[in-house]
Amino acid sequence: MNAMLETPELPAVFDGVKLAAVAAVLYVIVRCLNLKSPTAPPDLYFQDSGLSRFLLKSCPLLTKEYIPPLIWGKSGHIQTALYGKMGRVRSPHPYGHRKFITMSDGATSTFDLFEPLAEHCVGDDVTMVICPGIANHSEKQYIRTFVDYAQKNGYRCAVLNHLGALPNIELTSPRMFTYGCTWEFGAMVNYIKKTYPLTQLVVVGFSLGGNIVCKYLGETQTNQDKVLCCVSVCQGYSALRAQKTFMQWDQCRRFYNFLMADNMKKIILSHRQALFGDHVKKPQSLEDTDLSRLYTATSLMQIDDNVMRKFHGYNSLKEYYEEESCMRYLHRISVPLMLVNAADDPLVHESLLTIPKSLSEKRENVMFVLPLHGGHLGFFEGSVLFPEPLTWMDKLVVEYADAICQWERNKSQCSDTEQVPPLPQ
């Protein structure tokens, strides 16, 4: 009888366990999706100047809240994963022409050229020269989305295809793209300058491409000729500093490192004959044993040490990273420079962000933009669940370029006014 009276209490206990389990799952979801994180305008680091004040007035995105999709957009991991696997939503297919340039060492560099689809806001001929991220090219969805938007805003676009990244283009020399080699990007820029002598340039780099374009501009002053401004998005600034953080499990960086290394291995091995074949005149430091080490590599650092640095004859990984990082060239850039990173980028450790912060405190031409969310090259926007085709990043880069073009137009008009002699009384 007593047992019969006690049985009704069992479901109550069971319901309590279920409730605790549901609460635990909800807690994990809230933590993983970072749902409690606020939305806010990006943090801005700059020196007070005429240029910075003009940019703040002319670029509303710099002072407006960046609002990612409500359910998942505050997770840097999901933003990064969606960029990596999906690229963009409903990505357009801009029409362009592929150009081929034979380099001095026999390598065949390619880039795609897209003509503007509208008149530019200031009526000038302006070309965006774009360097994509690691192992990327003009056919990637995030590049196609950005190019289409830039074309519709009056920009010609030239997009570098990293050497060896396109699956249907064979290597013609025992070399492929590396972390900081600017040769192919420089060849593309020179082609644009010669073919369109009246054009002005807006330099844009994404991730690894940001390192390349900043290093290119800082290598010589002549590389900044005809350049209106430069925009770098989601780069890490110093490979030497980044290598230690990339081996840490914090924010799953070690896992991302493994995934990117696996992709790099596939690309390198797809060009096995061109890079390691018996008929190939390889760099003296590149040996057959390096190929066997490549198969077992689980990090980008191992690949760089065993293969990539040897394409350019560096004696050590430390030397390679020091020489190929843009950090030592940034202070030489005199044109307006906007550096963009996301605070929740799982690939770029927060310690690396001291580099652009410090630079923006010393240089009037530099603005560092740091939104809370966006991940690595994500920056998706949307209301609740589904993202918009165009990202905050796409709009910001074009908005900044438009503002700089207007700034330069205003300066030239003021200069012309000052040179006009007063009329006689």
Side-chain angles (χ1 to χ4, degrees):
M1 191 70 178
N2 291 337
M4 291 179 62
L5 293 172
E6 291 175 0
T7 51
E9 297 181 9
L10 292 176
V13 173
F14 184 63
D15 287 345
V17 172
K18 287 197 297 184
L19 185 62
V22 170
V25 170
L26 289 175
Y27 174 77
V28 171
I29 291 174
V30 170
R31 287 295 301 271
C32 291
L33 297 180
N34 206 19
L35 294 177
K36 294 182 69 176
S37 177
T39 57
D43 290 335
L44 303 177
Y45 301 85
F46 60 91
Q47 289 193 38
D48 184 35
S49 65
L51 174 60
S52 63
R53 290 192 293 270
F54 181 82
L55 289 173
L56 293 177
K57 290 180 181 178
S58 305
C59 299
L61 289 175
L62 292 175
T63 52
K64 278 177 54 180
E65 280 186 322
Y66 161 52
I67 304 177
L70 178 64
I71 300 298
W72 52 266
K74 295 178 181 178
S75 167
H77 293 290
I78 296 181
Q79 289 246 23
T80 302
L82 285 180
Y83 146 72
K85 298 303 293 183
M86 187 175 65
R88 291 293 182 260
V89 180
R90 300 189 298 276
S91 181
H93 293 268
Y95 176 77
H97 297 280
R98 182 153 294 166
K99 305 294 183 180
F100 296 79
I101 301 175
T102 301
M103 307 297 291
S104 60
D105 64 347
T108 302
S109 177
T110 69
F111 70 92
D112 287 16
L113 190 61
F114 305 86
E115 291 298 329
L117 299 177
E119 185 177 352
H120 191 266
C121 64
V122 297
D124 291 342
D125 185 310
V126 187
T127 302
M128 283 192 174
V129 283
I130 303 165
C131 192
I134 184 171
N136 289 175
H137 44 73
S138 63
E139 297 174 12
K140 289 293 183 179
Q141 289 191 3
Y142 78 99
I143 294 293
R144 293 193 339 234
T145 300
F146 176 71
V147 165
D148 179 73
Y149 183 62
Q151 284 182 288
K152 291 174 179 176
N153 281 271
Y155 292 92
R156 180 186 298 108
C157 294
V159 183
L160 180 69
N161 300 309
H162 284 300
L163 201 61
L166 281 170
N168 58 338
I169 302 292
E170 296 290 332
L171 292 179
T172 56
S173 74
R175 178 175 68 84
M176 58 182 293
F177 79 92
T178 55
Y179 172 66
C181 180
T182 61
W183 298 349
E184 288 77 45
F185 184 76
M188 179 181 76
V189 170
N190 289 336
Y191 177 95
I192 295 298
K193 287 180 178 179
K194 291 178 182 178
T195 307
Y196 306 96
L198 298 180
T199 197
Q200 295 175 296
L201 303 179
V202 172
V203 179
V204 181
F206 299 105
S207 193
L208 172 141
N211 179 73
I212 289 176
V213 300
C214 289
K215 180 172 177 283
Y216 169 77
L217 291 178
E219 284 176 337
T220 67
Q221 188 62 38
T222 55
N223 287 351
Q224 299 178 49
D225 291 348
K226 294 191 173 183
V227 174
L228 291 171
C229 63
C230 174
V231 181
S232 163
V233 184
C234 288
Q235 69 151 309
Y237 307 99
S238 171
L240 191 63
R241 290 193 193 181
Q243 66 169 333
K244 295 179 181 178
T245 68
F246 235 40
M247 296 301 290
Q248 299 168 353
W249 283 101
D250 176 47
Q251 292 293 313
C252 300
R253 271 186 298 276
R254 183 65 182 89
F255 179 65
Y256 288 111
N257 189 357
F258 172 79
L259 293 179
M260 289 190 287
D262 189 59
N263 186 52
M264 277 299 300
K265 280 198 292 187
K266 291 176 182 176
I267 295 173
I268 295 171
L269 292 174
S270 71
H271 298 290
R272 186 189 298 106
Q273 286 302 315
L275 296 173
F276 301 99
D278 294 334
H279 65 287
V280 174
K281 185 179 179 182
K282 300 186 286 289
Q284 290 183 354
S285 56
L286 195 60
E287 302 173 355
D288 293 335
T289 54
D290 294 321
L291 181 58
S292 62
R293 294 193 188 101
L294 177 65
Y295 283 106
T296 59
T298 61
S299 72
L300 288 174
M301 283 65 76
Q302 290 173 320
I303 295 174
D304 287 342
D305 194 22
N306 291 314
V307 179
M308 308 305 280
R309 70 173 175 85
K310 298 180 180 181
F311 288 143
H312 294 278
Y314 289 108
N315 295 317
S316 67
L317 186 63
K318 181 177 183 292
E319 181 189 12
Y320 171 62
Y321 282 162
E322 283 181 340
E323 294 296 323
E324 297 291 286
S325 294
C326 73
M327 178 181 169
R328 58 198 296 264
Y329 295 93
L330 287 170
H331 68 281
R332 302 180 188 175
I333 300 175
S334 57
V335 299
L337 173 63
M338 182 171 71
L339 305 171
V340 184
N341 288 90
D344 66 353
D345 187 337
L347 303 186
V348 181
H349 191 269
E350 61 183 356
S351 63
L352 299 171
L353 301 183
T354 60
I355 298 171
K357 286 179 183 178
S358 175
L359 184 72
S360 64
E361 293 170 356
K362 301 173 183 176
R363 307 279 298 178
E364 284 192 359
N365 62 310
V366 179
M367 177 175 285
F368 177 44
V369 182
L370 185 67
L372 280 174
H373 310 112
H376 191 78
L377 295 181
F379 299 104
F380 292 97
E381 289 185 306
S383 54
V384 180
L385 183 61
F386 299 103
E388 299 292 333
L390 206 61
T391 69
W392 179 85
M393 173 187 77
D394 301 320
K395 293 185 281 190
L396 177 65
V397 175
V398 171
E399 188 175 81
Y400 177 82
D402 285 348
I404 292 297
C405 290
Q406 190 63 55
W407 168 261
E408 292 296 328
R409 169 58 65 92
N410 292 346
K411 281 203 314 183
S412 64
Q413 288 178 345
C414 291
S415 176
D416 291 342
T417 303
E418 290 173 0
Q419 292 176 9
V420 175
L423 294 173
Q425 299 295 324

